Amino acid sequence: MKYSMAQGLGRPFAVFAKMGKKYGVEWWILVTGAVIILAILYMALAPQTLTPFDPYNQDAGPQLIPPGGEHIMGTDNLRRDVWTRIVFGSRTILSISVLAAIISSFIGISLGLLSGYAGGMLDRTLSLVMDAVYVFPGLILAIALAAMVGPGVINITFAVAVIYIPTYFRLVRGQTLAIKQELYVEAARSIGATNATILMKYIFPNVIATTVVVFTLNVADAIMIEAALTYLVLELPPSIVDWGMDLAMGKKYLASGQWWLITFPGMMISMLALGFTMIGEGLSEILNPRLLER
Amino acid sequence: MRNLIRYIITRTLMTIPMVFILLTIIFVVLRLMPGDPVSSMLGGHAPERVIEQKREELGLNRPMTVQYVDYIWKICHLDLGDSMVLQQKVTDAIAEKLPATIELTTFGMLITIVLGVFLGAYAADKRRQARDSAIRLYGIVIYCIPVYWLGLMLQLIFGVWFDWLPIAGRTGARVFTSDFENTGFYIIDTLLVWDLESLKDVLIHLILPSFTLGLTLSGIFVRLTRANMLDVLKADYILAAEARGISHTNIVYRHALKNAFIPILTMMGLQVALLMAGAILTETTFSWPGMGRLLLERIYLRDYPMIQGVIIVFALIVAFISLLVDIIYAIVDPRIRY
């Protein structure tokens, strides 16, 4: 045996502690964020292990009972278990917001690279359009899109994705403009590298690093927009469990004091957004040590 | 001075292409997306002939380019069309609801600036201390609390549990809004007729919604102010001021904050989008009869001209405020000229 069990476990812990010493608070922000996300990810992946009930079961218990006993977060007006709906609802919000962020980063990065590299008329037109979308309230754009294309998970995903394309576009375009002037790009071109090679092998790897931080913050924002959309316009079919929709339903019972129907779904939306924000915050401070001074 | 005037004129002219692009995007989104206003209005089972007739009535059977030119032409004449579901002009409905939104966003923004800027400056002054960390944590956490949930929780705590504040609407039952409907801004209206009882009622109704909106946005401002203040506090003139024996509080909150405020002002222009989105959500939560409520109600009714009109007005507000911020910026900081 080359090393003992304790050593095997000790090594990662030592690295962990060392990182903590090196980066201080930022490291712990990152770790806390990661723990929150992993916990919610577990909910989404294995919901059955966390609750004995079914999220659609309208016979889980008495109507509108407060948290306690068998129902740790109480039951709703349709006699469904609130905790179970929280656990199963994590799937909807996580998949929509992460997928939306992936779609918008893909489109935004591609267009940004192209626009910054090609320049000229294409660049000017794209920049104008992207700037206009950027200043326009994203939520209103998403509401309009969702209202036009109708309800559904895929439609909401696209409506949310559209909002964030300009964020990636502006970031990547700016960096592409700068990197394009670098000596090593010039060198590559002089030995006959094609435009495609320069874009993919020289510019793209330098651009992608900074988009990681933006991506996590983007997911955090998308989470709140997704929940806002379903809270506002109930754009999902009732067969889907969603925190935003549960919040909208719980709102009806606020005046009569049934606090658990709004408290828990909203708290989960905040926690999820907070998790991604903390990862983004931690990463940005660790990746850009200059910012540490701020 | 001539420079400044030239800048203001150039900047105003630059707003035109931006507004134009926004209007085009709205047109594209509302016309070219799947989903047909007529069939969703009449329901899926309407006979072909009726649908055709309705399309012709609304001018939807014409070529896209003709519709686009007509659309821009009408907006230039401040004509946003008529509602599809109610007998009213879109502009009239908007004129009725807009003051409520402006009243809410103005107070929300005031709370944000006071809270965000003060906390940010304080954190920068106490940097790397526990108080600084606490304020930064507040900034991150409050940013992650969705404005609608914050509104619901404040309603629950202050409206239902303590029963201190009203949770819905702009006025209570005892205020007859028709008595003083002049400008639509209830604070101004009640002051014009000097009805202090009603003014008090209006202000009490404003507390929870504007705090909801203001608190949510304050996180960003805490962050921005803190970062800018840290830069400013390192500057030589701060050291010089300290050497001259000016009190510390005076240096931080007068000398430094004044200089840190310029970049904050620019960021304020960019936060207008967030403010508008926040207003829509706050209005829904607090049954606030403003633009956001109008938009959502009409989305349920599939009232396309109204939806389009409301979105256009939001676009114009955004363009106007970013213009305004840039002009103020130029007046405050003489170095900024194009």
Side-chain angles (χ1 to χ4, degrees):
Chain A
M1 213 184 266
K2 273 182 184 153
Y3 51 80
S4 70
M5 190 77 170
Q7 268 175 319
L9 269 175
R11 260 181 85 91
F13 274 113
V15 171
F16 209 74
K18 214 170 120 193
M19 293 289 272
K21 264 204 194 103
K22 190 171 168 196
Y23 295 113
V25 188
E26 272 63 40
W27 173 250
W28 296 112
I29 289 178
L30 181 67
V31 171
T32 315
V35 169
I36 295 174
I37 300 305
L38 285 176
I40 295 177
L41 204 61
Y42 180 79
M43 272 186 181
L45 293 176
Q48 323 78 291
T49 58
L50 294 169
T51 168
F53 300 104
D54 177 275
Y56 308 105
N57 181 8
Q58 302 200 351
D59 208 14
Q63 197 182 15
L64 290 171
I65 53 160
E70 201 185 7
H71 302 283
I72 49 170
M73 287 184 182
T75 58
D76 67 6
N77 54 317
L78 295 172
R79 303 167 58 164
R80 296 173 301 196
D81 183 58
V82 174
W83 163 244
T84 308
R85 291 189 65 80
I86 295 273
V87 171
F88 278 85
S90 60
R91 284 178 169 182
T92 316
I93 195 163
L94 256 183
S95 47
I96 289 181
S97 50
V98 172
L99 196 62
I102 291 173
I103 294 170
S104 55
S105 62
F106 182 76
I107 299 174
I109 292 172
S110 319
L111 288 180
L113 278 172
L114 202 67
S115 186
Y117 190 72
M121 205 44 207
L122 175 81
D123 184 37
R124 253 172 293 163
T125 321
L126 268 176
S127 299
L128 266 175
V129 173
M130 290 293 173
D131 281 352
V133 178
Y134 186 74
V135 295
F136 195 71
L139 180 70
I140 297 174
L141 196 66
I143 290 176
L145 277 170
M148 293 312 294
V149 294
V153 172
I154 294 171
N155 291 345
I156 285 208
T157 310
F158 275 98
V160 175
V162 169
I163 311 175
Y164 301 105
I165 294 174
T167 315
Y168 292 98
F169 174 85
R170 288 160 59 106
L171 182 77
V172 170
R173 178 183 168 269
Q175 287 189 327
T176 308
L177 281 178
I179 294 171
K180 185 164 93 162
Q181 314 285 345
E182 293 281 342
L183 213 55
Y184 60 82
V185 174
E186 192 108 352
R189 192 173 292 127
S190 71
I191 57 167
T194 59
N195 282 337
T197 316
I198 293 174
L199 262 179
M200 290 318 294
K201 293 231 165 107
Y202 290 80
I203 298 179
F204 180 70
N206 287 302
V207 163
I208 196 72
T210 44
T211 55
V212 174
V213 172
V214 175
F215 183 84
T216 53
L217 296 175
N218 173 194
V219 174
D221 214 61
I223 284 162
M224 290 190 281
I225 293 283
E226 189 274 345
L229 276 178
T230 53
Y231 168 75
L232 285 176
V233 278
L234 293 167
E235 283 291 350
L236 291 174
S239 61
I240 289 169
V241 190
D242 181 80
W243 294 347
M245 270 163 56
D246 281 357
L247 199 57
M249 276 185 265
K251 190 187 162 197
K252 294 177 196 146
Y253 297 90
L254 178 128
S256 49
Q258 268 100 14
W259 56 273
W260 56 95
L261 294 181
I262 53 160
T263 308
F264 298 118
M267 199 187 282
M268 290 309 293
I269 298 168
S270 299
M271 287 297 278
L272 190 55
L274 189 65
F276 278 105
T277 306
M278 287 175 110
I279 291 181
E281 288 282 320
L283 274 182
S284 83
E285 307 267 332
I286 288 168
L287 295 177
N288 300 317
R290 270 177 304 138
L291 286 176
L292 264 174
E293 282 305 301
R294 303 204 131 195
Chain B
M1 196 58 205
R2 287 221 11 213
N3 248 337
L4 181 67
I5 291 168
R6 195 188 300 151
Y7 172 79
I8 292 175
I9 293 171
T10 330
R11 182 62 186 79
T12 312
L13 289 177
M14 272 165 60
T15 312
I16 295 171
M18 189 181 138
V19 169
F20 197 73
I21 290 168
L22 279 172
L23 292 177
T24 309
I25 292 172
I26 295 168
F27 180 84
V28 170
V29 167
L30 293 183
R31 301 295 158 91
L32 301 185
M33 282 290 147
D36 179 34
V38 176
S39 49
S40 62
M41 218 171 80
L42 300 171
H45 305 293
E48 197 62 35
R49 197 175 45 82
V50 180
I51 291 181
E52 240 358 271
Q53 198 184 342
K54 194 79 191 170
R55 286 182 72 85
E56 208 169 309
E57 206 177 294
L58 295 165
L60 292 171
N61 55 346
R62 296 171 300 168
M64 266 312 157
T65 42
V66 177
Q67 286 191 44
Y68 178 71
V69 172
D70 184 54
Y71 160 84
I72 296 288
W73 182 251
K74 278 191 171 152
I75 293 170
C76 292
H77 290 81
L78 298 176
D79 176 11
L80 296 176
D82 300 314
S83 161
M84 272 184 187
V85 286
L86 298 172
Q87 291 296 321
Q88 66 186 150
K89 280 179 99 82
V90 170
T91 39
D92 290 345
I94 290 174
E96 191 192 320
K97 304 287 183 184
L98 192 57
T101 301
I102 295 179
E103 220 166 58
L104 171 66
T105 44
T106 311
F107 275 80
M109 202 64 195
L110 274 177
I111 291 168
T112 298
I113 292 172
V114 171
L115 205 70
V117 170
F118 175 74
L119 281 177
Y122 185 76
D125 181 29
K126 310 283 177 213
R127 93 184 131 238
R128 303 234 164 262
Q129 295 179 17
R131 278 170 285 185
D132 176 28
S133 302
I135 292 172
R136 286 179 70 191
L137 192 67
Y138 161 82
I140 295 178
V141 171
I142 200 84
Y143 178 76
C144 293
I145 294 179
V147 58
Y148 40 94
W149 185 56
L150 183 67
L152 290 173
M153 291 314 280
L154 291 179
Q155 282 182 333
L156 182 70
I157 296 167
F158 297 103
V160 178
W161 285 348
F162 291 126
D163 200 14
W164 287 342
L165 293 164
I167 60 172
R170 291 177 80 188
T171 54
R174 63 160 295 278
V175 179
F176 298 102
T177 49
S178 55
D179 282 355
F180 51 84
E181 221 163 71
N182 299 315
T183 61
F185 296 95
Y186 286 179
I187 294 179
I188 297 174
D189 287 341
T190 47
L191 279 174
L192 280 177
V193 295
W194 205 249
D195 181 356
L196 292 183
E197 269 302 295
S198 299
L199 177 67
K200 194 181 138 204
D201 184 68
V202 167
L203 287 176
I204 282 177
H205 278 81
L206 251 173
I207 294 176
L208 278 186
S210 52
F211 262 93
T212 303
L213 192 54
L215 280 171
T216 318
L217 291 176
S218 69
I220 300 167
F221 279 77
V222 166
R223 220 189 143 102
L224 276 173
T225 314
R226 184 180 171 276
N228 282 313
M229 279 291 281
L230 285 180
D231 282 347
V232 171
L233 286 173
K234 271 187 240 147
D236 287 341
Y237 58 81
I238 297 297
L239 195 65
E242 237 159 80
R244 273 184 285 139
I246 299 170
S247 81
H248 185 71
T249 320
N250 217 331
I251 290 174
V252 173
Y253 296 101
R254 292 190 55 187
H255 296 237
L257 194 56
K258 220 189 266 174
N259 285 289
F261 205 73
I262 295 172
I264 296 168
L265 198 67
T266 337
M267 285 310 294
M268 229 146 80
L270 287 176
Q271 305 312 328
V272 174
L274 273 179
L275 185 69
M276 292 298 153
I280 287 192
L281 292 161
T282 312
E283 282 178 12
T284 313
T285 305
F286 286 92
S287 312
W288 192 262
M291 296 282 283
R293 277 270 304 247
L294 180 67
L295 177 65
L296 290 168
E297 276 165 14
R298 296 312 164 93
I299 279 177
Y300 279 116
L301 299 172
R302 305 275 160 197
D303 187 353
Y304 286 86
M306 193 66 85
I307 298 171
Q308 177 180 298
V310 172
I311 296 175
I312 288 171
V313 171
F314 273 119
L316 293 179
I317 293 175
V318 167
F320 175 72
I321 293 183
S322 69
L323 170 68
L324 199 70
V325 166
D326 277 0
I327 290 175
I328 296 173
Y329 193 75
I331 294 170
V332 176
D333 188 347
R335 287 169 303 182
I336 310 294
R337 296 285 186 274
Y338 280 155

